[in-house]
Amino acid sequence: MKSTQLLLISLTSYLITLRHGALAQDSYLQLATEFITTYPSPYGSTAFNSIAFGAQRYAMACLYYATYAQTNTYISEDSDIMDGWYSADNWISEEGVCEWEGVQCNDNNFVIEVDLSGNNLGGTFPNEFSVIGSSLEYLDLSNNPTASFMSGMFWMGQMTQLLHLDIHNTNFDHSGIPPYFANLVNLQYFDMSETYIWYSFGWDVFSNMTSLEWLNIADNYYEGEFPTEIANLPNLKNLYIHDSYFSGSFDFLDTMTPEMIEIWADQNYWEPGPIPSALFQFSNLKGLSLTGCQLTGTIPTEFGLLDKLERVWLFNNTLSATIPTEIGDMDNLKLFQMEDNMLTGSMPASVCDNFDTEDHPLKALASDCESEVDCPCCNCCASECDCNGDGCYQDGEDEELPPSTGGGFGCFSGVNTVNVAGKGMVPIRDLKIGDDVQVGSNNKYSRVYSFGHYNKDMIGEYLKFYSTALDRPLEISKDHMIFVENRGIVPASTVTIGEKLVLATNNDEQQQQSNNAATAKVTRIDEVYSKGAFAPFTESGTISVNGVISSNYITMQDDLDALTIAGGIQLASMHWIAHSFQIPHRLACKWNFEHFCAKETYSESGISKWVYGPYLASKWFLNQHVTVLSVFSLPVILVAFLCNIINVVTTNYGFAVMVGILGFIIFSRKTSKKL
């Protein structure tokens, strides 16, 4: 048996040399060859089996050496990828591959399952892995920075027996849908979300996947209308296409199988219109998420016919009128979010009667109950709702829910750091009210007097900015304002690769070397989910996070950096307006810090009680008709100016004395004239 495998090894080495020439001693091909030479496969009783098992062992060794502590285009040598896999029990040992961690085999010792999800795989996934394609049924590489580029995905086309493939949140990179997918004819479960597979062509490969039941292609950049090749799949039951830059209408729903169980189509560029009537043909539907889809009109009464529906997300649209009583007919409903719309009236008694009772599973109910909707049974109101945290129902099955975006407030994730006077660099989650934190260059510090948002436990959605000038990437929510060279203070969502973030540099030489420059050129932007949501408010209105100067505030008008009215007229920057309206809060802290600020309290989702009211008022104001917005914006600006005048008078004592003297002179002159 071993002599047969040695023959295979000699042949393999010869073929490798022909293909690649002389190999470096540390190349993954050379290392894999040396491994199977030293530790041949213990399986195989015939010459044929010995060759097959030897090839299988070689392919698995190539996988290990190509991805263990290896870099690629998207990761650098100073990242934690160089620490290697998190866990690799029995890999590259004398044990048979069936004993290697994450590997399962059939009764004949051929590999049928490889699960290496979240194991810190790096490098470039090797084409040699294709050797086991004739037996492999399950492959999970998700949540790893490993990469596969263009023709380097050849191996995937050999996985003809795959039933389950998960490559989400990897650095797999292909312009258009890889043609190799056409060979995955037996696939039933496929997750390619959060990769670099982008652009809307090559969809025809999905026509071959007639057994596909579960598909997630979300969080990629496609553009164009949703492909009919997917809509026409005969066995599809679960579809996730959120945040994918699709456009057009929801007409594709008309051709989908009526057996659909769950659909998430959030945050695309769909044409404005009513909730699609085609949804109500899906009698088995259990989950529906259409947030940020420009939905108009009313919530249809037909929802009451979907008696299997368990979870519904319709927030962040412009739905109007009242909530239909038929929602109360949904006996299996667990969660219904409809906040951040234009709904009015009262939550129907038929719905409230079902809330949190022994006979009904409804545990999470959200609406604009702080303003337009009277809902005594809602446990989430407006932007305070968080489906991954306080107030939202989770059924204990660890089902994935639409991730929170920081509870409606711009934040930094808990992995970021700040420079605190007397302490140095500390995690932002350890920052405290009263700390003096760096807010600009030349050792400029300012006191933290509040947190607009403070929640250590919630999971938020963030943009992750990479730059060679940063010690670590910056994680910031999309609507948070950030300083960009030549543009000023703009929403993070508008920053593009190649633009330069403004850095806070110090006179200290070591800090200068750490930052390298006054700006950091953005080289990569990811959308990530991270733990913690923190929005420190400083007296200066700015803060340096990971060395990048940022505003304390968010934009309230999508991607705009200034209050904009009819005709695109910009009145004042969002940063200036927000900082102006925080003046009463800052003055209260100056007058009695211990009473007003040191003991700050927060809502259940971590939003400051000082901030929540003004935030809701701002949201309400900016959602008014453009005419109303234009007419009342000027008084808003005048109030902001008045706040600044009050601030100058009350904090600049010299100026206050001058104003007092001037007032006394004017009063004296008027009095003398009367006499």
Side-chain angles (χ1 to χ4, degrees):
M1 178 181 71
K2 289 189 177 181
S3 61
T4 305
Q5 290 192 30
L6 289 174
L7 176 63
L8 169 67
I9 293 166
S10 300
L11 178 60
T12 300
S13 299
Y14 174 70
L15 293 174
I16 290 172
T17 303
L18 285 179
R19 179 183 174 190
H20 299 277
L23 293 173
Q25 289 298 310
D26 60 350
S27 77
Y28 78 87
L29 296 170
Q30 182 68 31
L31 293 171
T33 302
E34 292 174 356
F35 167 70
I36 63 173
T37 302
T38 307
Y39 299 107
S41 175
Y43 310 134
S45 57
T46 66
F48 174 78
N49 277 347
S50 295
I51 293 175
F53 287 126
Q56 174 177 266
R57 192 172 182 81
Y58 174 73
M60 297 293 283
C62 284
L63 163 60
Y64 177 85
Y65 286 118
T67 62
Y68 188 94
Q70 300 295 317
T71 62
N72 57 46
T73 301
Y74 292 105
I75 49 180
S76 60
E77 292 185 358
D78 59 356
S79 70
D80 62 0
I81 196 65
M82 301 309 294
D83 296 335
W85 292 10
Y86 294 140
S87 185
D89 290 350
N90 290 334
W91 279 76
I92 312 303
S93 71
E94 61 183 10
E95 298 287 344
V97 297
C98 299
E99 306 303 319
W100 294 4
E101 184 176 4
V103 178
Q104 292 190 25
C105 298
N106 58 22
D107 293 339
N108 297 319
N109 292 323
F110 286 107
V111 175
I112 59 173
E113 178 175 325
V114 175
D115 186 350
L116 296 172
S117 57
N119 202 28
N120 206 35
L121 275 66
T124 301
F125 205 81
N127 267 324
E128 288 73 17
F129 189 71
S130 62
V131 169
I132 68 172
S134 60
S135 64
L136 194 65
E137 298 177 357
Y138 184 107
L139 178 61
D140 191 342
L141 303 174
S142 63
N143 297 307
N144 286 296
T146 188
S148 192
F149 301 95
M150 300 300 283
S151 60
M153 291 189 189
F154 166 81
W155 63 270
M156 200 175 294
Q158 311 307 305
M159 304 286 110
T160 55
Q161 301 305 310
L162 272 183
L163 304 177
H164 180 113
L165 176 60
D166 192 341
I167 57 172
H168 95 267
N169 195 23
T170 62
N171 289 321
F172 281 38
D173 190 329
H174 199 282
S175 180
I177 308 302
Y180 313 108
F181 288 179
N183 295 337
L184 306 178
V185 295
N186 292 304
L187 213 54
Q188 297 175 6
Y189 178 107
F190 188 18
D191 191 341
M192 54 175 266
S193 61
E194 298 181 71
T195 61
Y196 292 96
I197 298 174
W198 53 346
Y199 291 141
S200 198
F201 58 86
W203 295 111
D204 55 303
V205 301
F206 281 94
S207 298
N208 295 345
M209 301 182 191
T210 54
S211 298
L212 197 61
E213 298 180 3
W214 197 102
L215 177 63
N216 188 346
I217 60 173
D219 291 293
N220 290 323
Y221 184 86
Y222 302 118
E223 289 191 332
E225 296 186 351
F226 185 73
T228 57
E229 292 85 351
I230 293 179
N232 294 335
L233 288 172
N235 291 295
L236 191 64
K237 294 181 174 64
N238 293 67
L239 178 65
Y240 307 94
I241 57 173
H242 45 284
D243 294 283
S244 297
Y245 293 84
F246 285 121
S247 58
S249 70
F250 281 107
D251 289 348
F252 64 88
L253 294 172
D254 296 333
T255 62
M256 297 185 72
T257 169
E259 303 302 316
M260 293 299 300
I261 293 176
E262 190 156 56
I263 301 172
W264 291 3
D266 317 69
Q267 303 297 329
N268 284 292
Y269 293 91
W270 308 117
E271 297 173 356
I275 293 176
S277 59
L279 289 171
F280 304 109
Q281 67 173 313
F282 305 134
S283 58
N284 293 320
L285 200 64
K286 292 184 177 181
L288 176 65
S289 193
L290 298 176
T291 69
C293 287
Q294 302 191 78
L295 297 176
T296 60
T298 63
I299 298 178
T301 59
E302 286 83 356
F303 267 105
L305 302 176
L306 300 178
D307 57 357
K308 294 183 180 180
L309 198 55
E310 298 177 357
R311 304 180 300 169
V312 183
W313 296 273
L314 297 176
F315 61 84
N316 192 24
N317 286 293
T318 54
L319 297 170
S320 57
T322 58
I323 300 165
T325 59
E326 285 78 4
I327 302 298
D329 297 334
M330 302 165 67
D331 292 334
N332 291 294
L333 189 63
K334 299 177 180 179
L335 179 152
F336 203 127
Q337 276 192 264
M338 60 195 93
E339 75 274 15
D340 205 6
N341 277 287
M342 300 175 65
L343 298 167
T344 57
S346 300
M347 184 65 66
S350 60
V351 178
C352 284
D353 289 345
N354 293 342
F355 184 76
D356 199 16
T357 65
E358 293 183 0
D359 298 329
H360 293 86
L362 182 60
K363 302 293 183 183
L365 187 61
S367 68
D368 292 317
C369 40
E370 291 283 354
S371 53
E372 301 299 326
V373 177
D374 180 16
C375 183
C377 59
C378 286
N379 58 353
C380 277
C381 292
S383 60
E384 196 174 355
C385 302
D386 175 10
C387 279
N388 277 341
D390 300 326
C392 281
Y393 172 69
Q394 297 185 32
D395 60 11
E397 297 179 0
D398 268 346
E399 291 182 289
E400 184 184 3
L401 299 176
S404 164
T405 57
F409 284 77
C411 309
F412 301 96
S413 74
V415 304
N416 294 292
T417 60
V418 292
N419 189 10
V420 178
K423 299 179 182 179
M425 300 301 293
V426 301
I428 195 170
R429 61 180 177 272
D430 295 334
L431 186 65
K432 294 179 174 58
I433 290 177
D435 282 343
D436 288 320
V437 65
Q438 187 174 14
V439 297
S441 298
N442 300 321
N443 294 309
K444 182 179 179 181
Y445 288 79
S446 182
R447 183 171 62 169
V448 177
Y449 68 91
S450 175
F451 280 88
H453 202 170
Y454 187 91
N455 191 320
K456 290 187 175 183
D457 299 320
M458 72 174 295
I459 303 297
E461 181 180 0
Y462 297 96
L463 293 177
K464 190 171 186 177
F465 291 95
Y466 294 81
S467 173
T468 56
L470 298 178
D471 289 338
R472 63 174 63 203
L474 173 70
E475 293 187 5
I476 184 173
S477 60
K478 296 179 180 180
D479 52 356
H480 206 101
M481 309 281 281
I482 191 170
F483 284 70
V484 177
E485 187 180 54
N486 299 325
R487 292 182 59 203
I489 312 174
V490 301
S493 60
T494 67
V495 179
T496 59
I497 293 175
E499 289 194 292
K500 295 180 179 180
L501 308 180
V502 178
L503 298 179
T505 56
N506 293 332
N507 292 327
D508 182 77
E509 182 178 353
Q510 184 176 357
Q511 279 290 333
Q512 288 281 7
Q513 292 174 353
S514 174
N515 289 323
N516 293 325
T519 59
K521 185 177 181 180
V522 178
T523 58
R524 172 182 168 189
I525 305 173
D526 288 344
E527 292 186 7
V528 299
Y529 302 122
S530 288
K531 188 175 183 180
F534 304 92
F537 283 7
T538 65
E539 292 171 350
S540 70
T542 61
I543 187 170
S544 170
V545 179
N546 289 3
V548 178
I549 303 178
S550 304
S551 169
N552 292 168
Y553 311 113
I554 64 172
T555 177
M556 299 292 291
Q557 284 184 303
D558 296 327
D559 296 332
L560 301 176
D561 57 17
L563 177 60
T564 305
I565 60 175
I569 300 173
Q570 294 186 335
L571 297 181
S573 75
M574 290 288 183
H575 173 84
W576 179 81
I577 294 173
H579 197 55
S580 298
F581 278 99
Q582 276 295 305
I583 286 174
H585 188 182
R586 290 197 298 277
L587 290 179
C589 291
K590 284 182 178 292
W591 293 331
N592 194 330
F593 188 83
E594 288 298 321
H595 178 73
F596 288 110
C597 295
K599 300 177 182 179
E600 185 173 62
T601 58
Y602 306 94
S603 69
E604 289 184 349
S605 60
I607 301 171
S608 168
K609 297 296 179 65
W610 276 96
V611 174
Y612 189 54
Y615 173 81
L616 288 180
S618 301
K619 287 282 289 184
W620 175 85
F621 174 66
L622 292 170
N623 282 329
Q624 302 308 304
H625 189 274
V626 64
T627 303
V628 177
L629 179 62
S630 300
V631 170
F632 288 97
S633 287
L634 186 57
V636 169
I637 300 300
L638 292 176
V639 171
F641 271 115
L642 179 61
C643 288
N644 279 277
I645 292 173
I646 294 173
N647 183 55
V648 172
V649 171
T650 55
T651 59
N652 189 323
Y653 298 114
F655 181 82
V657 170
M658 290 178 60
V659 171
I661 294 173
L662 181 61
F664 176 77
I665 293 173
I666 295 174
F667 176 78
S668 299
R669 287 183 176 180
K670 287 185 176 181
T671 303
S672 62
K673 286 182 179 181
K674 289 180 180 180
L675 295 175

